Amino acid sequence: MASSLTKDSATAGSEKTFLGHPRGLANLFMTEMWERYSFYGMRALLVLYLATEVADGGLGMNDATAVAIYSVYNAMVYLLALPGGWLGDRVWGARKAVAVAGVIIMTGHFLLAVPAQISFFVGLAFIAVGSGVLKANISTMVGHLYRDKNDPRRDGGFTIFYMGINLGAFVAPLTIGWVGQKVSWHLGFAMAGVGMAIGLIFFFLGFRNLAPDSSRVPAPLDAAGRAALMKKAMIWLAVAAGTYAVIGLSGVFTIDWVLWPLTILGLALPAWYLIRVRRDKDLEEVERSRMSAYVWFFVAAAAFWAIYDQSGSTLSLFAKNSTQSTLFGFSFPESWYQSLNPLFVMALAPLFAWVWVALSRRSKEPSTLSKFAFGLVLIGASFGVMMLAQGVASGDTKVTPMWLVSVYFMQTIGELTLSPVGLSLTTKLAPQKYASQMMGVWFLAVTAGNSVIALLQLLGAPTDTQGWFASLGALAAVAGIAIFMYRKKVQPLMGGVH
C-alpha cells in the first residue's frame, strides 16, 4: 500500500493500518503502554522502598509516613490532571503537552535512580507533575484520530488503548519490581526511566501519524493572558521557595512540612471546585439539581478510591510483613502482587462488556445507581476480607497469598462496576458550561480519597490493625447500601438522567 509523502500527510490519522484503526493509534498505544509501565513499575516499589531499613538499601521510614507519602503522591497525580488539561487546551496543545510531560516523567525516574534522598523526592515531584499533564492529554489525542465523533471505530480504539494501559501495568511489577527488590532499588527506578524513554521514542517517531488537531491549541491564551499567568506562577513560586527556605534554615524542616499542605490542598480543592460549580448563577435549575446529586456520587467515589488505591500501600506492606512470598513452591517478591489488578482487568473487562449487553437485550441490565452501589459494597467487602486476614496473621504467622489474591480480585470487579459508571454519570450530570472540565472533577475524587488516607496517617491511625480495615470497609459498604436504598429519592435530583 505505497503512497506518497503528500498523501500520507494529508491522511495522517485516518488510514486503516493498525487493527483497522488509524495508524496513529499504534504510536499512542505504545506511548501509553510504556508510560504506564514506568508509572506502575515505580509505584510497585515506592512504599516498599520507603519502609525498608536503611541497611537494606531503603529509606527506613515508618509505615505511616510511607503510606502518607504514597497517598499524597497519588493524590497529586490526579489533582494535576486539571491544570494539565488546561495547559493542553490553552497553552501547548495536546501533542506538545504529552511530549513535555514525557520528558519530565523520564527525568523524574532517573532522579529516583540517584542514591540521594533529596534527588528521590525531587524525582517524585517530577513524576507527579508529568503524569498529571500526560494523563489529561493523551486520551484526547486518541479521540482526535477519529474526525467523525460518530465513527463506529471510536469505542474500539479506546478499548485497544485501554488494553495498552493494563498491559504495561501488568508487566511492570514483574520486571521492575523483581529487579528493584532482588538486585537494586535504584536500578529498578532506572528501568522505569528507560521505559518512559522507549515510550517517548514511539511518540516522536509517530508524529506524522497523529491527527492535525493534536497540534492545535483549542482556546489559546492571548499575550496578556500568558503574561498574567507567568506573573502569578512566579509569585507563587517565590512565596513557596521563600517559605521553605526559612523553614529549612531554621532547622525544623521535616517531610510533614510538605505532606500536610499537600494533603489539605487535596481535600480543599475538590470541595471548593464542586461548591463553585454548584453555585454558578449561569446554571439552569435542572443543572444545579444534577450537581447536587453528583456531590453524593463524588463523596461515595472518594470512599471507593480511598480503599482501592491502598493496593500499593497498606496491602503492599501487608504482603511484606504478614504474607508468605511463596506459592506452590515458587518464591516471588511482594511487588508482584501489583500485577494482579491489571491481569484481572484484562481477563474480566471483555466478560463484563458482554454481560451488560446480554442483560440489556433482555431488559435486565442493572441501573446505573445499582452498579455504582454494588461497586462500593464490593470494595468494602474486600476490606472485610482484609480484616479477617489481619486477624489470621497475628504474631509471627504469615498468611497464604490467596488472601491477597481474593482481595485484588474483588476490588477489580468493584472497579469494573463503578469506574465506567462514574465516568458515564459525570458526562451525563455535567452542566453544559463545564462539560469538559467535569472529567477532571471525576479525577478529583481520586485525589480526595487518597488525601483522606494521607490525613489519617498523619494523625497517627495504624494501618496494620483489624480496626483499620473494618472501619474503612464498613464505610464504603454502608455508602453503597445507602445509594441502593435511596436510589428512588436520588433519581429525581438527576433531572431525567438514568
Side-chain angles (χ1 to χ4, degrees):
M1 187 165 50
S3 58
S4 67
L5 179 60
T6 302
K7 181 181 178 181
D8 280 343
S9 301
T11 59
S14 62
E15 289 183 311
K16 297 181 180 180
T17 58
F18 178 66
L19 301 178
H21 290 266
R23 60 183 179 177
L25 182 62
N27 298 95
L28 295 178
F29 173 94
M30 296 299 291
T31 302
E32 180 70 349
M33 184 186 75
W34 283 106
E35 186 274 329
R36 291 290 90 182
Y37 174 85
S38 70
F39 180 86
Y40 284 105
M42 184 281 290
R43 208 175 76 159
L45 295 176
L46 181 55
V47 163
L48 298 173
Y49 172 69
L50 293 171
T52 295
E53 296 297 329
V54 175
D56 295 322
L59 293 186
M61 296 182 175
N62 59 57
D63 288 357
T65 302
V67 172
I69 291 173
Y70 172 92
S71 300
V72 167
Y73 164 73
N74 261 347
M76 291 303 104
V77 167
Y78 287 91
L79 185 149
L80 290 165
L82 266 182
W86 184 89
L87 282 171
D89 287 341
R90 304 298 306 277
V91 181
W92 287 333
R95 182 185 300 189
K96 185 175 181 180
V98 169
V100 172
V103 172
I104 293 173
I105 293 169
M106 179 184 66
T107 303
H109 284 300
F110 285 129
L111 285 172
L112 298 189
V114 177
Q117 195 170 90
I118 183 64
S119 176
F120 179 85
F121 287 108
V122 171
L124 207 58
F126 271 49
I127 297 168
V129 171
S131 296
V133 175
L134 189 142
K135 174 180 285 292
N137 288 282
I138 194 165
S139 295
T140 301
M141 296 180 67
V142 176
H144 288 161
L145 295 172
Y146 305 92
R147 295 178 181 176
D148 183 357
K149 293 185 181 297
N150 296 316
D151 190 323
R153 302 172 299 165
R154 191 181 183 92
D155 287 350
F158 274 98
T159 300
I160 293 171
F161 182 74
Y162 185 66
M163 292 303 289
I165 293 173
N166 285 282
L167 185 59
F170 169 69
V171 176
L174 301 179
T175 52
I176 294 175
W178 188 88
V179 170
Q181 287 193 264
K182 298 296 185 181
V183 182
S184 164
W185 295 106
H186 297 289
L187 182 57
F189 294 135
M191 284 181 64
V194 171
M196 187 66 253
I198 295 172
L200 281 171
I201 290 171
F202 277 105
F203 184 68
F204 291 134
L205 289 178
F207 264 15
R208 66 194 297 271
N209 299 327
L210 301 176
D213 283 349
S214 296
S215 299
R216 298 192 183 106
V217 182
L221 280 177
D222 56 22
R226 285 176 178 262
L229 174 65
M230 185 61 67
K231 181 179 178 180
K232 289 180 181 178
M234 294 305 294
I235 290 173
W236 281 107
L237 182 62
V239 170
T243 301
Y244 281 102
V246 171
I247 295 171
L249 291 172
S250 65
V252 298
F253 179 81
T254 66
I255 191 65
D256 284 357
W257 282 98
V258 177
L259 296 178
W260 271 105
L262 293 180
T263 298
I264 293 171
L265 178 66
L267 291 170
L269 184 62
W272 170 81
Y273 201 88
L274 286 171
I275 293 171
R276 175 175 172 269
V277 174
R278 173 65 179 79
R279 292 183 176 179
D280 191 331
K281 294 180 180 179
D282 291 339
L283 301 188
E284 297 178 1
E285 190 60 35
V286 67
E287 290 180 318
R288 286 201 184 92
S289 178
R290 288 172 180 169
M291 283 305 301
S292 296
Y294 187 75
V295 168
W296 294 105
F297 287 113
F298 182 93
V299 172
F304 178 91
W305 296 117
I307 292 177
Y308 181 87
D309 274 344
Q310 291 181 61
S311 60
S313 57
T314 58
L315 297 194
S316 281
L317 292 174
F318 183 83
K320 174 188 174 185
N321 300 325
S322 304
T323 308
Q324 300 167 8
S325 57
T326 58
L327 187 64
F328 305 125
F330 178 74
S331 180
F332 55 91
E334 296 85 4
S335 54
W336 279 21
Y337 285 105
Q338 300 305 301
S339 287
L340 287 173
N341 171 255
L343 175 64
F344 289 147
V345 168
M346 289 187 290
L348 295 176
L351 176 62
F352 267 69
W354 177 82
V355 168
W356 295 143
V357 171
L359 289 175
S360 178
R361 288 172 179 169
R362 296 172 174 80
S363 300
K364 294 182 179 180
E365 183 180 3
S367 67
T368 296
L369 289 171
S370 296
K371 291 178 183 177
F372 203 92
F374 179 74
L376 277 167
V377 170
L378 200 55
I379 200 77
S382 75
F383 259 37
V385 174
M386 279 304 303
M387 177 194 70
L388 297 176
Q390 186 69 59
V392 174
S394 58
D396 295 329
T397 303
K398 289 197 171 186
V399 301
T400 171
M402 296 311 296
W403 283 98
L404 282 176
V405 171
S406 64
V407 168
Y408 283 118
F409 182 76
M410 294 171 69
Q411 292 189 351
T412 301
I413 295 177
E415 176 195 6
L416 291 171
T417 306
L418 180 140
S419 185
V421 170
L423 289 168
S424 176
L425 271 175
T426 299
T427 59
K428 292 176 181 178
L429 297 177
Q432 184 63 35
K433 182 178 178 179
Y434 297 96
S436 298
Q437 296 178 50
M438 285 299 291
M439 293 308 298
V441 173
W442 170 250
F443 288 136
L444 288 182
V446 185
T447 295
N450 278 277
S451 296
V452 168
I453 300 303
L455 179 63
L456 292 174
Q457 293 306 287
L458 292 171
L459 292 173
T463 59
D464 57 350
T465 65
Q466 287 183 290
W468 172 266
F469 296 114
S471 57
L472 291 178
L475 177 66
V478 168
I481 293 170
I483 286 177
F484 182 78
M485 290 181 64
Y486 291 94
R487 63 192 185 281
K488 293 183 179 179
K489 293 184 178 180
V490 174
Q491 191 68 58
L493 291 174
M494 297 170 67
V497 171
H498 297 284

